[in-house]
Amino acid sequence: MSYQPLLAIVSHTVFIAVAFFALQAIMPEKIIKKNRVFQAQLLYILLSIAIGSTVSNFFLELSYWSGRLPFMFG
């Protein structure tokens, strides 16, 4: 039984949460128009998903390819 799907779900969730946490450092009131709270929150969520998924995919692929290295030399 493969653990890859579970690892991918956990990885994506963790990196999306980390991206959301990191985006909290941005001061949106200097960028976002006034009275656009919902749009700002939606933007934070979408940016978190985009950044977190990209970083997660990078680490999952890095893990996969590093696991394949022994087959290259064996």
Side-chain angles (χ1 to χ4, degrees):
M1 186 167 144
S2 179
Y3 61 91
Q4 292 284 351
L6 180 60
L7 178 64
I9 291 170
V10 170
S11 176
H12 278 66
T13 304
V14 167
F15 280 109
I16 289 170
V18 168
F20 186 79
F21 176 73
L23 284 172
Q24 299 301 310
I26 296 174
M27 298 181 61
E29 57 272 359
K30 300 195 187 253
I31 302 169
I32 307 297
K33 294 179 182 177
K34 292 183 180 186
N35 300 323
R36 302 291 185 167
V37 176
F38 176 73
Q39 285 95 343
Q41 291 173 339
L42 184 60
L43 180 62
Y44 264 67
I45 292 168
L46 293 175
L47 281 174
S48 298
I49 292 169
I51 294 168
S53 295
T54 303
V55 173
S56 179
N57 282 331
F58 170 77
F59 280 107
L60 288 171
E61 286 187 23
L62 185 67
S63 171
Y64 171 77
W65 288 114
S66 65
R68 303 288 298 170
L69 278 177
F71 297 112
M72 186 173 143
F73 299 110

